[in-house]
Amino acid sequence: MYVAVKGGERAIDNAHAWLAEERRGDTDVAELSVAQIREQMALAVNRVMAEGSLYDPDLAALAIKQSRGDLIEAIFLIRAYRTTLPRFGGSNPIETEDMQCDRRVSATFKDAPGGQVLGPTFDYTHRLLDFKLAADGEAPQAPSATAPTEPTPHIMSFLDRENLIQTEKTSETTPDDLTRKPLELPASRALRLQSLARADEGFILGMAYSTQRGYARNHAFVAELRIGAVAVEMDIPELGFAIDIGEITVTECETVNQFQGSKTEPPQFTRGYGLVFGMTERKAISMALVDRALRWKELGEDNLGAPAQDEEFVLYHSDNIQATGFLEHIKLPHYVDFQSELELIRKLRREAQDAMSQEAAQ
Amino acid sequence: MNVMTDPNAARKAWLGLLAKAPARDLAQLWAALDLKAPHQILRAPEIGGVMVRGRAGAIGEAFNLGEITVTRASIKLEDGTVGHGYVQGRDKNHALQAALIDALMQTDAAARVRDGVLTPLQATMTQKKSTRAAKAAATKVDFFTMVRGED
Amino acid sequence: MQAHVLEGGFDNHAVDSSHAFRAVMTAMARPGQIATLQGALPPAPLSKAAGVVLLTLCDPETPIYLAPSHDTQQLRDWITFHTGAPFVTAEAAIFAVGTWQDLPVSAFAIGTAEYPDRSATLIVECESLSNTGEVLRGPGIKDQTALSLPKTDAFQTNAALFPLGLDFIFTCGDRLAALPRTTRVG
């Protein structure tokens, strides 16, 4: 039972005012600018763009500032803003083949044409705190080398020479959009990929890790991980042709997975796919592993009952805004509900006591 | 599409350049050009989103990745030439300037606009790209197989 | 696309479409009440009111069916430039525009039991529009009102489908009135 209550406006206003003051912190310390966050907290900005489902580094940086660095709160702000935008249309699928790669590595094909390019990676750092960063003023310069002019084709296409890799279905239909129509199960692969691309990084990481540890193990290797800029092209009706309307940085991960064959498919290598806004490689690899685990049905694999195979479990619990909304609402006033719970408990106890005293009397 | 035979290739190229160029660079070059271009607004600058699509497995069916912010505008010059601007981000002046330049590029002012705006804009963007490519090239690995082992 | 179809949109999209949305919503909430709309100058044969409705409610995700009475290249271009809405057959339409005679009323989607909202809204262009003729009753109407409907039985059949069914907007020049599926006719 709910009973409407009024009041608390002054407390709320003052709480907001204090929040604003706390956000600013000690005024003896210089204020962060949005540009500083965008440039120097770029990976946080990328995560907010990916999970907020809106590529706009300035807005993501502003959201991080406003949310005091609480990234889920920042994602919430971006999701809310996103809903206010009129939708001009959908782009043509981005051509990751044409990416200008900042990073491009393969665990399966070391001599890949185009080479292995490490890019600005944490991979080989020693994870020792660098106290030099605590002092200001450093502006490090990276060395340069002559850039190759050859293209960097997808490594999977080289591995596929013997046709030992499962092919992907192509289709030109407009994919369903879960931000427009509620997610219904069973979900198409397009819907699963959209859901995973905006899913909480921590949740997807945990799911992916569970497949590695043996819950629906699918033996994934990174065929290719590439990070870089791609153009976004859209058909413009008033022009009658397509133009580039922007350029975005994305992370793409293709996994190749061992596969013994099933009732319906011959033994072959299968694939998992991850594609995420920004430089977000932990998320992209995780996405590829979970994508592969969710494909058990189409590949004729057994349902092992593993969490990562359960599309309802994965898709309905991976969105951190839905999750946080439902989770955090339980801290808001529930006095009235609790009153009725109390009444119920008292009544049950009274009945139990009456029954006991009747028994005693007999 | 073959660039050689595409009649829209030139316009496609400048519209794409204007869309991806930093708003500030374009604004500076446009102001420096100091070109009067009286015009009527057909579509006032409007901020919106475009759903970016990817392909499953890079080659398969399309899926929705997420949106980008885009601002668009359309204008008509006094001689009736129409210009459209679609630019990344939320800068209304950027979209308006792109639409104006698109229109002017279809008029006698084309050479002046190309020299004053498009060419330097392209040069800056190419420079940025090649700087990045050179840094990436410096992190390219030369592998030596030491030993073949299990796993 | 010719230059003149690029004209005739809202001058100030955010403000104009907000006013128009409020007017259309009120018309739907008060069936039969006639409202006057401003802001769009669509090419003939589309009325000003129907133009405002399309500019306000349509975008690339709301497919439109144009009845033969309204299916001209100019109008298609105008709608495409100003709303981005795609053109489809009657079966796939979320919105439809045309005269009553030219609209294949039985072909439109009436929604499903799970999603009654996945149904079409028909914008019916009329020669005249006045509070005379068929008696209307139901939610949003105090006692009863009247509206000059092009037909009677079709709207009675539609109301009987509730919660499924079509919703109607009648337009004439710069005026419109609405008839949602909840309204009982006659």
Side-chain angles (χ1 to χ4, degrees), chain A residues 310-337:
Chain A
D310 185 335
E311 111 181 326
E312 179 174 347
F313 185 82
V314 175
L315 302 186
Y316 278 8
H317 302 111
S318 61
D319 190 289
N320 51 27
I321 301 309
Q322 278 172 14
T324 207
F326 197 66
L327 183 119
E328 295 200 40
H329 99 279
I330 63 171
K331 73 192 170 187
L332 301 175
H334 276 66
Y335 312 123
V336 180
D337 299 55

PDB file of all heavy atoms in Angstrom, chain A residues 310-337:
ATOM      1  N   ASP A 310      22.931 -18.202 -20.818  1.00  0.00           N
ATOM      2  CA  ASP A 310      21.528 -17.900 -20.536  1.00  0.00           C
ATOM      3  C   ASP A 310      21.231 -16.462 -20.959  1.00  0.00           C
ATOM      4  O   ASP A 310      21.568 -15.511 -20.273  1.00  0.00           O
ATOM      5  CB  ASP A 310      21.295 -18.081 -19.030  1.00  0.00           C
ATOM      6  CG  ASP A 310      19.835 -17.906 -18.644  1.00  0.00           C
ATOM      7  OD1 ASP A 310      19.106 -17.203 -19.377  1.00  0.00           O
ATOM      8  OD2 ASP A 310      19.434 -18.465 -17.617  1.00  0.00           O
ATOM      9  N   GLU A 311      20.596 -16.335 -22.104  1.00  0.00           N
ATOM     10  CA  GLU A 311      20.433 -14.991 -22.669  1.00  0.00           C
ATOM     11  C   GLU A 311      19.561 -14.109 -21.781  1.00  0.00           C
ATOM     12  O   GLU A 311      19.817 -12.914 -21.652  1.00  0.00           O
ATOM     13  CB  GLU A 311      19.956 -15.103 -24.123  1.00  0.00           C
ATOM     14  CG  GLU A 311      18.597 -14.673 -24.437  1.00  0.00           C
ATOM     15  CD  GLU A 311      18.244 -14.849 -25.911  1.00  0.00           C
ATOM     16  OE1 GLU A 311      19.108 -14.689 -26.787  1.00  0.00           O
ATOM     17  OE2 GLU A 311      17.080 -15.126 -26.177  1.00  0.00           O
ATOM     18  N   GLU A 312      18.582 -14.702 -21.138  1.00  0.00           N
ATOM     19  CA  GLU A 312      17.747 -13.891 -20.247  1.00  0.00           C
ATOM     20  C   GLU A 312      18.583 -13.384 -19.068  1.00  0.00           C
ATOM     21  O   GLU A 312      18.528 -12.199 -18.711  1.00  0.00           O
ATOM     22  CB  GLU A 312      16.559 -14.701 -19.733  1.00  0.00           C
ATOM     23  CG  GLU A 312      15.688 -13.873 -18.793  1.00  0.00           C
ATOM     24  CD  GLU A 312      14.411 -14.568 -18.365  1.00  0.00           C
ATOM     25  OE1 GLU A 312      14.055 -15.588 -18.966  1.00  0.00           O
ATOM     26  OE2 GLU A 312      13.785 -14.045 -17.428  1.00  0.00           O
ATOM     27  N   PHE A 313      19.383 -14.275 -18.507  1.00  0.00           N
ATOM     28  CA  PHE A 313      20.219 -13.875 -17.374  1.00  0.00           C
ATOM     29  C   PHE A 313      21.200 -12.784 -17.785  1.00  0.00           C
ATOM     30  O   PHE A 313      21.352 -11.763 -17.111  1.00  0.00           O
ATOM     31  CB  PHE A 313      20.990 -15.091 -16.836  1.00  0.00           C
ATOM     32  CG  PHE A 313      21.784 -14.798 -15.599  1.00  0.00           C
ATOM     33  CD1 PHE A 313      21.175 -14.798 -14.358  1.00  0.00           C
ATOM     34  CD2 PHE A 313      23.128 -14.492 -15.682  1.00  0.00           C
ATOM     35  CE1 PHE A 313      21.899 -14.504 -13.212  1.00  0.00           C
ATOM     36  CE2 PHE A 313      23.864 -14.197 -14.540  1.00  0.00           C
ATOM     37  CZ  PHE A 313      23.238 -14.203 -13.301  1.00  0.00           C
ATOM     38  N   VAL A 314      21.874 -12.960 -18.920  1.00  0.00           N
ATOM     39  CA  VAL A 314      22.900 -12.002 -19.341  1.00  0.00           C
ATOM     40  C   VAL A 314      22.262 -10.677 -19.751  1.00  0.00           C
ATOM     41  O   VAL A 314      22.626  -9.615 -19.247  1.00  0.00           O
ATOM     42  CB  VAL A 314      23.745 -12.571 -20.503  1.00  0.00           C
ATOM     43  CG1 VAL A 314      24.722 -11.519 -21.022  1.00  0.00           C
ATOM     44  CG2 VAL A 314      24.505 -13.809 -20.049  1.00  0.00           C
ATOM     45  N   LEU A 315      21.291 -10.737 -20.664  1.00  0.00           N
ATOM     46  CA  LEU A 315      20.775  -9.489 -21.237  1.00  0.00           C
ATOM     47  C   LEU A 315      19.942  -8.691 -20.232  1.00  0.00           C
ATOM     48  O   LEU A 315      19.966  -7.470 -20.246  1.00  0.00           O
ATOM     49  CB  LEU A 315      19.955  -9.773 -22.496  1.00  0.00           C
ATOM     50  CG  LEU A 315      20.686 -10.504 -23.625  1.00  0.00           C
ATOM     51  CD1 LEU A 315      19.806 -10.596 -24.865  1.00  0.00           C
ATOM     52  CD2 LEU A 315      22.011  -9.840 -23.976  1.00  0.00           C
ATOM     53  N   TYR A 316      19.220  -9.384 -19.353  1.00  0.00           N
ATOM     54  CA  TYR A 316      18.361  -8.647 -18.430  1.00  0.00           C
ATOM     55  C   TYR A 316      19.114  -8.130 -17.201  1.00  0.00           C
ATOM     56  O   TYR A 316      18.559  -7.401 -16.400  1.00  0.00           O
ATOM     57  CB  TYR A 316      17.180  -9.517 -17.978  1.00  0.00           C
ATOM     58  CG  TYR A 316      16.031  -9.542 -18.966  1.00  0.00           C
ATOM     59  CD1 TYR A 316      16.159  -8.965 -20.227  1.00  0.00           C
ATOM     60  CD2 TYR A 316      14.811 -10.115 -18.645  1.00  0.00           C
ATOM     61  CE1 TYR A 316      15.119  -8.978 -21.133  1.00  0.00           C
ATOM     62  CE2 TYR A 316      13.759 -10.136 -19.552  1.00  0.00           C
ATOM     63  CZ  TYR A 316      13.920  -9.566 -20.797  1.00  0.00           C
ATOM     64  OH  TYR A 316      12.880  -9.575 -21.696  1.00  0.00           O
ATOM     65  N   HIS A 317      20.354  -8.536 -17.038  1.00  0.00           N
ATOM     66  CA  HIS A 317      21.076  -8.077 -15.853  1.00  0.00           C
ATOM     67  C   HIS A 317      22.347  -7.313 -16.167  1.00  0.00           C
ATOM     68  O   HIS A 317      23.114  -6.983 -15.286  1.00  0.00           O
ATOM     69  CB  HIS A 317      21.377  -9.276 -14.934  1.00  0.00           C
ATOM     70  CG  HIS A 317      20.133  -9.986 -14.509  1.00  0.00           C
ATOM     71  ND1 HIS A 317      19.811 -11.246 -14.933  1.00  0.00           N
ATOM     72  CD2 HIS A 317      19.100  -9.566 -13.745  1.00  0.00           C
ATOM     73  CE1 HIS A 317      18.628 -11.585 -14.435  1.00  0.00           C
ATOM     74  NE2 HIS A 317      18.180 -10.578 -13.711  1.00  0.00           N
ATOM     75  N   SER A 318      22.585  -7.060 -17.457  1.00  0.00           N
ATOM     76  CA  SER A 318      23.861  -6.464 -17.846  1.00  0.00           C
ATOM     77  C   SER A 318      23.793  -4.940 -17.928  1.00  0.00           C
ATOM     78  O   SER A 318      24.819  -4.287 -18.025  1.00  0.00           O
ATOM     79  CB  SER A 318      24.285  -7.010 -19.207  1.00  0.00           C
ATOM     80  OG  SER A 318      23.324  -6.666 -20.181  1.00  0.00           O
ATOM     81  N   ASP A 319      22.595  -4.382 -17.874  1.00  0.00           N
ATOM     82  CA  ASP A 319      22.486  -2.940 -18.036  1.00  0.00           C
ATOM     83  C   ASP A 319      22.596  -2.261 -16.674  1.00  0.00           C
ATOM     84  O   ASP A 319      21.738  -2.441 -15.806  1.00  0.00           O
ATOM     85  CB  ASP A 319      21.157  -2.584 -18.696  1.00  0.00           C
ATOM     86  CG  ASP A 319      21.111  -1.125 -19.096  1.00  0.00           C
ATOM     87  OD1 ASP A 319      21.033  -0.254 -18.191  1.00  0.00           O
ATOM     88  OD2 ASP A 319      21.183  -0.848 -20.293  1.00  0.00           O
ATOM     89  N   ASN A 320      23.663  -1.478 -16.493  1.00  0.00           N
ATOM     90  CA  ASN A 320      23.886  -0.937 -15.148  1.00  0.00           C
ATOM     91  C   ASN A 320      22.903   0.171 -14.770  1.00  0.00           C
ATOM     92  O   ASN A 320      22.719   0.448 -13.590  1.00  0.00           O
ATOM     93  CB  ASN A 320      25.348  -0.500 -14.954  1.00  0.00           C
ATOM     94  CG  ASN A 320      25.843   0.406 -16.052  1.00  0.00           C
ATOM     95  OD1 ASN A 320      25.055   1.109 -16.680  1.00  0.00           O
ATOM     96  ND2 ASN A 320      27.147   0.397 -16.284  1.00  0.00           N
ATOM     97  N   ILE A 321      22.251   0.779 -15.745  1.00  0.00           N
ATOM     98  CA  ILE A 321      21.281   1.825 -15.403  1.00  0.00           C
ATOM     99  C   ILE A 321      19.971   1.189 -14.926  1.00  0.00           C
ATOM    100  O   ILE A 321      19.389   1.596 -13.913  1.00  0.00           O
ATOM    101  CB  ILE A 321      21.058   2.776 -16.594  1.00  0.00           C
ATOM    102  CG1 ILE A 321      22.388   3.428 -16.997  1.00  0.00           C
ATOM    103  CG2 ILE A 321      20.024   3.846 -16.258  1.00  0.00           C
ATOM    104  CD1 ILE A 321      23.159   4.072 -15.864  1.00  0.00           C
ATOM    105  N   GLN A 322      19.540   0.140 -15.633  1.00  0.00           N
ATOM    106  CA  GLN A 322      18.367  -0.597 -15.152  1.00  0.00           C
ATOM    107  C   GLN A 322      18.643  -1.180 -13.773  1.00  0.00           C
ATOM    108  O   GLN A 322      17.824  -1.067 -12.858  1.00  0.00           O
ATOM    109  CB  GLN A 322      18.054  -1.753 -16.107  1.00  0.00           C
ATOM    110  CG  GLN A 322      17.272  -1.332 -17.325  1.00  0.00           C
ATOM    111  CD  GLN A 322      17.139  -2.471 -18.338  1.00  0.00           C
ATOM    112  OE1 GLN A 322      17.399  -3.640 -18.030  1.00  0.00           O
ATOM    113  NE2 GLN A 322      16.755  -2.129 -19.543  1.00  0.00           N
ATOM    114  N   ALA A 323      19.822  -1.779 -13.638  1.00  0.00           N
ATOM    115  CA  ALA A 323      20.147  -2.453 -12.381  1.00  0.00           C
ATOM    116  C   ALA A 323      20.219  -1.460 -11.235  1.00  0.00           C
ATOM    117  O   ALA A 323      19.651  -1.670 -10.162  1.00  0.00           O
ATOM    118  CB  ALA A 323      21.463  -3.214 -12.524  1.00  0.00           C
ATOM    119  N   THR A 324      20.911  -0.345 -11.477  1.00  0.00           N
ATOM    120  CA  THR A 324      21.096   0.613 -10.390  1.00  0.00           C
ATOM    121  C   THR A 324      19.762   1.268 -10.037  1.00  0.00           C
ATOM    122  O   THR A 324      19.482   1.542  -8.871  1.00  0.00           O
ATOM    123  CB  THR A 324      22.187   1.636 -10.757  1.00  0.00           C
ATOM    124  OG1 THR A 324      22.772   2.124  -9.568  1.00  0.00           O
ATOM    125  CG2 THR A 324      21.667   2.815 -11.544  1.00  0.00           C
ATOM    126  N   GLY A 325      18.925   1.485 -11.018  1.00  0.00           N
ATOM    127  CA  GLY A 325      17.620   2.089 -10.755  1.00  0.00           C
ATOM    128  C   GLY A 325      16.792   1.213  -9.835  1.00  0.00           C
ATOM    129  O   GLY A 325      16.210   1.673  -8.855  1.00  0.00           O
ATOM    130  N   PHE A 326      16.766  -0.081 -10.140  1.00  0.00           N
ATOM    131  CA  PHE A 326      15.947  -0.970  -9.326  1.00  0.00           C
ATOM    132  C   PHE A 326      16.584  -1.205  -7.967  1.00  0.00           C
ATOM    133  O   PHE A 326      15.913  -1.227  -6.943  1.00  0.00           O
ATOM    134  CB  PHE A 326      15.713  -2.293 -10.051  1.00  0.00           C
ATOM    135  CG  PHE A 326      14.570  -3.062  -9.473  1.00  0.00           C
ATOM    136  CD1 PHE A 326      13.280  -2.559  -9.565  1.00  0.00           C
ATOM    137  CD2 PHE A 326      14.766  -4.258  -8.815  1.00  0.00           C
ATOM    138  CE1 PHE A 326      12.209  -3.234  -9.004  1.00  0.00           C
ATOM    139  CE2 PHE A 326      13.696  -4.945  -8.254  1.00  0.00           C
ATOM    140  CZ  PHE A 326      12.418  -4.434  -8.350  1.00  0.00           C
ATOM    141  N   LEU A 327      17.893  -1.364  -7.979  1.00  0.00           N
ATOM    142  CA  LEU A 327      18.590  -1.618  -6.723  1.00  0.00           C
ATOM    143  C   LEU A 327      18.472  -0.433  -5.769  1.00  0.00           C
ATOM    144  O   LEU A 327      18.142  -0.580  -4.595  1.00  0.00           O
ATOM    145  CB  LEU A 327      20.062  -1.920  -6.997  1.00  0.00           C
ATOM    146  CG  LEU A 327      20.832  -2.273  -5.740  1.00  0.00           C
ATOM    147  CD1 LEU A 327      21.394  -3.679  -5.844  1.00  0.00           C
ATOM    148  CD2 LEU A 327      21.924  -1.288  -5.448  1.00  0.00           C
ATOM    149  N   GLU A 328      18.728   0.773  -6.296  1.00  0.00           N
ATOM    150  CA  GLU A 328      18.815   1.923  -5.397  1.00  0.00           C
ATOM    151  C   GLU A 328      17.450   2.438  -4.959  1.00  0.00           C
ATOM    152  O   GLU A 328      17.369   3.206  -4.008  1.00  0.00           O
ATOM    153  CB  GLU A 328      19.660   3.027  -6.041  1.00  0.00           C
ATOM    154  CG  GLU A 328      21.101   2.560  -6.224  1.00  0.00           C
ATOM    155  CD  GLU A 328      22.077   3.707  -6.403  1.00  0.00           C
ATOM    156  OE1 GLU A 328      21.920   4.720  -5.704  1.00  0.00           O
ATOM    157  OE2 GLU A 328      22.985   3.577  -7.232  1.00  0.00           O
ATOM    158  N   HIS A 329      16.383   2.023  -5.654  1.00  0.00           N
ATOM    159  CA  HIS A 329      15.088   2.546  -5.226  1.00  0.00           C
ATOM    160  C   HIS A 329      14.704   2.000  -3.861  1.00  0.00           C
ATOM    161  O   HIS A 329      13.911   2.603  -3.161  1.00  0.00           O
ATOM    162  CB  HIS A 329      14.008   2.260  -6.282  1.00  0.00           C
ATOM    163  CG  HIS A 329      13.157   1.066  -5.990  1.00  0.00           C
ATOM    164  ND1 HIS A 329      13.558  -0.218  -6.255  1.00  0.00           N
ATOM    165  CD2 HIS A 329      11.922   0.967  -5.431  1.00  0.00           C
ATOM    166  CE1 HIS A 329      12.602  -1.054  -5.886  1.00  0.00           C
ATOM    167  NE2 HIS A 329      11.610  -0.369  -5.381  1.00  0.00           N
ATOM    168  N   ILE A 330      15.318   0.900  -3.440  1.00  0.00           N
ATOM    169  CA  ILE A 330      14.909   0.348  -2.142  1.00  0.00           C
ATOM    170  C   ILE A 330      15.396   1.191  -0.965  1.00  0.00           C
ATOM    171  O   ILE A 330      14.990   0.977   0.163  1.00  0.00           O
ATOM    172  CB  ILE A 330      15.365  -1.127  -1.951  1.00  0.00           C
ATOM    173  CG1 ILE A 330      16.891  -1.230  -1.958  1.00  0.00           C
ATOM    174  CG2 ILE A 330      14.771  -2.024  -3.024  1.00  0.00           C
ATOM    175  CD1 ILE A 330      17.387  -2.611  -1.556  1.00  0.00           C
ATOM    176  N   LYS A 331      16.275   2.178  -1.242  1.00  0.00           N
ATOM    177  CA  LYS A 331      16.715   3.046  -0.149  1.00  0.00           C
ATOM    178  C   LYS A 331      15.782   4.253   0.002  1.00  0.00           C
ATOM    179  O   LYS A 331      15.883   4.998   0.969  1.00  0.00           O
ATOM    180  CB  LYS A 331      18.149   3.525  -0.404  1.00  0.00           C
ATOM    181  CG  LYS A 331      18.248   4.567  -1.503  1.00  0.00           C
ATOM    182  CD  LYS A 331      19.658   4.829  -1.937  1.00  0.00           C
ATOM    183  CE  LYS A 331      19.659   5.697  -3.187  1.00  0.00           C
ATOM    184  NZ  LYS A 331      20.968   5.874  -3.766  1.00  0.00           N
ATOM    185  N   LEU A 332      14.873   4.444  -0.955  1.00  0.00           N
ATOM    186  CA  LEU A 332      13.950   5.576  -0.878  1.00  0.00           C
ATOM    187  C   LEU A 332      12.805   5.200   0.072  1.00  0.00           C
ATOM    188  O   LEU A 332      12.578   4.025   0.339  1.00  0.00           O
ATOM    189  CB  LEU A 332      13.436   5.906  -2.276  1.00  0.00           C
ATOM    190  CG  LEU A 332      14.558   6.257  -3.253  1.00  0.00           C
ATOM    191  CD1 LEU A 332      14.024   6.466  -4.651  1.00  0.00           C
ATOM    192  CD2 LEU A 332      15.324   7.483  -2.786  1.00  0.00           C
ATOM    193  N   PRO A 333      12.096   6.213   0.584  1.00  0.00           N
ATOM    194  CA  PRO A 333      11.135   5.929   1.660  1.00  0.00           C
ATOM    195  C   PRO A 333      10.143   4.820   1.316  1.00  0.00           C
ATOM    196  O   PRO A 333       9.461   4.875   0.314  1.00  0.00           O
ATOM    197  CB  PRO A 333      10.416   7.266   1.819  1.00  0.00           C
ATOM    198  CG  PRO A 333      11.407   8.273   1.375  1.00  0.00           C
ATOM    199  CD  PRO A 333      12.175   7.623   0.263  1.00  0.00           C
ATOM    200  N   HIS A 334      10.111   3.811   2.150  1.00  0.00           N
ATOM    201  CA  HIS A 334       9.151   2.718   2.016  1.00  0.00           C
ATOM    202  C   HIS A 334       8.402   2.533   3.323  1.00  0.00           C
ATOM    203  O   HIS A 334       7.984   1.446   3.660  1.00  0.00           O
ATOM    204  CB  HIS A 334       9.871   1.406   1.673  1.00  0.00           C
ATOM    205  CG  HIS A 334      10.139   1.261   0.223  1.00  0.00           C
ATOM    206  ND1 HIS A 334      11.000   2.085  -0.454  1.00  0.00           N
ATOM    207  CD2 HIS A 334       9.657   0.403  -0.706  1.00  0.00           C
ATOM    208  CE1 HIS A 334      11.038   1.723  -1.720  1.00  0.00           C
ATOM    209  NE2 HIS A 334      10.239   0.715  -1.903  1.00  0.00           N
ATOM    210  N   TYR A 335       8.242   3.656   4.082  1.00  0.00           N
ATOM    211  CA  TYR A 335       7.648   3.549   5.424  1.00  0.00           C
ATOM    212  C   TYR A 335       6.294   2.880   5.373  1.00  0.00           C
ATOM    213  O   TYR A 335       5.947   2.081   6.215  1.00  0.00           O
ATOM    214  CB  TYR A 335       7.468   4.927   6.066  1.00  0.00           C
ATOM    215  CG  TYR A 335       8.679   5.811   5.978  1.00  0.00           C
ATOM    216  CD1 TYR A 335       8.610   7.054   5.386  1.00  0.00           C
ATOM    217  CD2 TYR A 335       9.895   5.386   6.509  1.00  0.00           C
ATOM    218  CE1 TYR A 335       9.714   7.865   5.311  1.00  0.00           C
ATOM    219  CE2 TYR A 335      11.008   6.196   6.424  1.00  0.00           C
ATOM    220  CZ  TYR A 335      10.910   7.442   5.821  1.00  0.00           C
ATOM    221  OH  TYR A 335      12.003   8.228   5.737  1.00  0.00           O
ATOM    222  N   VAL A 336       5.525   3.249   4.351  1.00  0.00           N
ATOM    223  CA  VAL A 336       4.140   2.790   4.321  1.00  0.00           C
ATOM    224  C   VAL A 336       4.091   1.298   4.084  1.00  0.00           C
ATOM    225  O   VAL A 336       3.401   0.552   4.773  1.00  0.00           O
ATOM    226  CB  VAL A 336       3.359   3.548   3.236  1.00  0.00           C
ATOM    227  CG1 VAL A 336       1.925   3.072   3.217  1.00  0.00           C
ATOM    228  CG2 VAL A 336       3.424   5.043   3.518  1.00  0.00           C
ATOM    229  N   ASP A 337       4.891   0.849   3.127  1.00  0.00           N
ATOM    230  CA  ASP A 337       4.953  -0.587   2.871  1.00  0.00           C
ATOM    231  C   ASP A 337       5.353  -1.316   4.135  1.00  0.00           C
ATOM    232  O   ASP A 337       4.831  -2.351   4.472  1.00  0.00           O
ATOM    233  CB  ASP A 337       6.013  -0.892   1.820  1.00  0.00           C
ATOM    234  CG  ASP A 337       5.712  -0.228   0.524  1.00  0.00           C
ATOM    235  OD1 ASP A 337       5.537   1.010   0.532  1.00  0.00           O
ATOM    236  OD2 ASP A 337       5.640  -0.930  -0.468  1.00  0.00           O
TER     237      ASP A 337
END
